[in-house]
Amino acid sequence: MMPELHVSIGRDVMMGLAQAVAAIVLCAAVVALCRWQAVRVEREAAISMARGLVQMVFVGMVLAVLLHGSLMVGSLILLAMMVAAAFTASRRLRGMSGALLLCFWAIAAGAGTVIAAMLATRSLQADIAILVPVGSMIIANAMNACAQAAERFRAEILAHVGQIEAGLSLGAEPAVTVAPYLQSAVYASLLPRLDMLKSLGLVWIPGVMAGMMVSGASPVYAAIYQFVIVAMILAASGITGLVATVLMRSRVFSSAAQLVLRPTEVSTSS
Amino acid sequence: MLETRNLSRRVGPRLLVQEINIQVSAGEILAVVGPSGAGKSSFLRLLNRLDEPTAGTVLLKSTDYHSIVPRELRRRVGMVMQTAFLFPGTVAANISFGPRQRREAMASARITALLERVGLSGFADRDVGHLSGGEAQRVAVARTLANDPEVLLLDEPTSALDESSVRGVEELVQGVVRERRVACVIVTHNREQAARLADRTMVLKAGRMVRIGATGEVLHDA
Ligand SMILES: Nc1ncnc2c1ncn2[C@@H]1O[C@H](COP(=O)(O)OP(=O)(O)OP(=O)(O)O)[C@@H](O)[C@H]1O
Ligand SMILES: [Mg+2]
């Protein structure tokens, strides 16, 4: 394994770092441009970029070591990614107890089901070199859908406390009173994925396709496979958004059908 | 009809409602008055269990309301809030909302009759987006009456209305309470309104009931 690692820390790594520096300089310029319009993202952008670079270098090194490891190892990597994704998504739900676990179940239900289905139908190879990058795309999108659906659902509930309590006061089931907000939250979380599908090939060609063609697959097959991946991303996001909001719904009401998520609660706990 | 026993609610260190004991009978209107922040709304929200009492309870026809399923309790104890909070759609859809939750269809003749009762004949197919404040509040009252409640809770039902709509809603409430013999609790910051509507009045201060009695006496002394 070690020689393999050595080979990959070669001239191409130096070149990669130089490219990373160029990318950072460009982003810094954009941040400066934002600042000119009083949009302050310097701190956030600096932290995000530093984290992104360090994490990707680390992933590259791990992949170099494990390139052809077993399905077991690949699954563990994906599981770790789902945990990290749950941490990130749950930050949007600060102040809500059990948010981390809620996000984990939602992401695991969406990404896990879809990845397992793809493995079972052999539309995804167990080889780590493919499983991890494709799996991570699905997990990242599930994370995004989870955060968006949960955040939107909470905001809609807080904006409609009066309507919800009017419904409860007329003897409605809690689920009925928030149904429109659950729908719009899940729909909103799917929009970016729907746009992705629409723009596929027109403004966006996923990176995996280039890799497949380099390793000898026919362009037509590679293209169709890209579609499959993006469609699976949509499926995973849909499951994740639904599970996240349904789990949330059961937590915003007490067992006596009282709305317990209230604006005051947010301001005192966040 | 409605009775509270040491009804209290505490949130953290704050006592919003403290040990309130009252009784309201069928056909009676009880006004709740007091300064802003006295806990009037907090008290009312305990009566249909929109909030949970931290101590004490409410009896509905002598039955502890904790033993009544919340949905059924809220059908029997109707509530109208300061703003109507109508659901997007038609007036008729709003009115039949309650019965629909129990899978009961509401005959259009009943909707028509209810609308006529609240002075909105011909409004059934209107979109709620185009109603005035007074009309919306009448729809809110009609929507609650469609559930045939035994108790009617009103939280400053006219404070968001202009002068001309206030009397209409008041007369509607008064008429309905007498006809249907419901027990009614109305929160108001308006003493004249209490005088016009209520048989008895209770005064709340800092979550405590400091006075209860015939409206004329209570308002005269205060
Ligand atoms: N969930 C809550 N947590 C903490 N404090 C609360 C909560 N709900 C209400 N309060 C506080 O309890 C007090 C009583 O509020 P309430 O709304 O019952 O008063 P009110 O008598 O209806 O006042 P108003 O006449 O202004 O409507 C207020 O000081 C309010 O800030
Ligand atoms: Mg109030």
Side-chain angles (χ1 to χ4, degrees):
Chain A
M1 281 194 184
M2 286 320 281
E4 227 172 306
L5 188 61
H6 273 289
V7 173
S8 57
I9 307 178
R11 283 191 47 227
D12 58 343
V13 172
M14 295 315 292
M15 191 177 80
L17 285 176
Q19 287 168 335
V21 168
I24 290 170
V25 168
L26 187 63
C27 287
V30 173
V31 167
L33 200 66
C34 289
R35 203 194 154 118
W36 168 60
Q37 281 300 323
V39 179
R40 293 179 175 272
V41 288
E42 322 65 282
R43 219 179 96 84
E44 183 109 43
I47 294 172
S48 309
M49 277 193 284
R51 275 188 53 175
L53 182 60
V54 170
Q55 285 159 201
M56 283 312 288
V57 168
F58 178 74
V59 167
M61 296 198 316
V62 170
L63 283 180
V65 174
L66 300 172
L67 199 51
H68 300 289
S70 67
L71 175 59
M72 183 70 184
V73 177
S75 306
L76 282 177
I77 294 175
L78 292 183
L79 186 67
M81 283 180 166
M82 287 185 206
V83 172
F87 267 102
T88 306
S90 67
R91 245 176 269 144
R92 300 268 195 102
L93 281 179
R94 223 171 303 179
M96 187 166 175
S97 64
L100 177 63
L101 212 58
L102 185 151
C103 291
F104 176 76
W105 286 125
I107 292 168
T113 310
V114 165
I115 292 171
M118 288 179 78
L119 282 172
T121 55
R122 304 203 182 279
S123 45
L124 184 60
Q125 284 166 305
D127 194 334
I128 285 187
I130 295 178
L131 178 63
V132 170
V134 171
S136 78
M137 271 173 78
I138 294 173
I139 293 169
N141 277 278
M143 168 183 89
N144 213 286
C146 177
Q148 283 179 332
E151 189 176 39
R152 173 75 181 262
F153 192 41
R154 175 154 88 167
E156 291 269 13
I157 289 174
L158 290 176
H160 295 98
V161 169
Q163 255 90 4
I164 293 168
E165 292 195 326
L168 293 175
S169 297
L170 288 165
E173 202 77 74
V176 171
T177 65
V178 295
Y181 317 124
L182 189 147
Q183 285 156 17
S184 67
V186 174
Y187 179 73
S189 77
L190 284 182
L191 268 183
R193 259 58 63 180
L194 290 168
D195 285 344
M196 242 163 92
L197 261 177
K198 279 184 215 149
S199 64
L200 200 57
L202 295 178
V203 283
W204 184 60
I205 295 178
V208 189
M209 182 166 168
M212 284 176 74
M213 275 153 46
V214 168
S215 57
S218 93
V220 175
Y221 172 68
I224 294 174
Y225 189 64
Q226 291 323 296
F227 162 80
V228 171
I229 291 178
V230 178
M232 290 299 100
I233 283 175
L234 180 71
S237 304
I239 297 173
T240 297
L242 271 175
V243 172
T245 49
V246 167
L247 287 178
M248 249 178 99
R249 184 178 67 191
S250 63
R251 307 220 175 153
V252 299
F253 291 102
S254 69
S255 59
Q258 294 145 338
L259 181 65
V260 288
L261 177 72
R262 336 218 62 239
T264 47
E265 189 192 325
V266 174
S267 63
T268 52
S269 58
S270 64
Chain B
M1 178 69 83
L2 184 77
E3 184 180 345
T4 67
R5 292 246 170 106
N6 293 321
L7 192 62
S8 314
R9 177 163 165 85
R10 188 164 55 84
V11 175
R14 294 206 51 170
L15 287 155
L16 307 185
V17 176
Q18 298 187 55
E19 299 182 358
I20 296 195
N21 293 287
I22 57 153
Q23 285 185 31
V24 191
S25 13
E28 184 189 23
I29 300 181
L30 173 73
V32 181
V33 301
S36 184
K40 304 184 294 294
S41 299
S42 305
F43 169 65
L44 207 68
R45 292 168 57 85
L46 293 175
L47 298 181
N48 72 343
R49 220 179 156 199
L50 220 39
D51 285 329
E52 190 66 16
T54 46
T57 191
V58 175
L59 307 185
L60 186 61
K61 283 190 172 156
S62 313
T63 307
D64 187 324
Y65 79 169
H66 288 95
S67 66
I68 305 174
V69 182
R71 293 176 54 197
E72 172 63 6
L73 172 74
R74 293 185 190 136
R75 182 197 69 72
R76 295 172 59 187
V77 182
M79 173 134 134
V80 174
M81 311 187 192
Q82 188 171 352
T83 22
F85 292 120
L86 299 180
F87 310 121
T90 64
V91 168
N94 269 270
I95 293 193
S96 59
F97 180 89
R100 258 201 330 273
Q101 304 312 307
R102 303 185 295 279
R103 310 263 182 297
E104 288 169 19
M106 199 173 166
S108 63
R110 247 197 95 204
I111 297 179
T112 311
L114 253 180
L115 281 175
E116 197 174 323
R117 180 65 194 84
V118 300
L120 294 175
S121 299
F123 276 62
D125 297 323
R126 292 231 202 151
D127 190 283
V128 297
H130 306 303
L131 300 179
S132 73
E135 289 163 352
Q137 199 59 311
R138 285 158 179 276
V139 174
V141 172
R143 177 173 75 171
T144 302
L145 293 179
N147 269 341
D148 281 325
E150 298 156 30
V151 178
L152 186 59
L153 309 175
L154 304 156
D155 193 353
E156 308 205 24
T158 61
S159 64
L161 303 184
D162 58 62
E163 202 59 49
S164 59
S165 323
V166 171
R167 292 312 303 266
V169 171
E170 283 179 1
E171 275 158 25
L172 169 62
V173 167
Q174 207 159 21
V176 159
V177 169
R178 307 295 182 232
E179 284 159 30
R180 303 192 174 209
R181 295 199 51 74
V182 300
C184 177
V185 181
I186 178 169
V187 169
T188 176
H189 60 253
N190 182 331
R191 301 162 62 86
E192 288 79 50
Q193 182 167 64
R196 284 194 296 268
L197 292 180
D199 304 296
R200 286 187 302 149
T201 292
M202 69 182 261
V203 183
L204 265 187
K205 280 204 179 107
R208 284 196 179 281
M209 181 170 80
V210 295
R211 185 83 206 272
I212 187 167
T215 300
E217 291 170 27
V218 171
L219 293 181
H220 179 78
D221 298 352

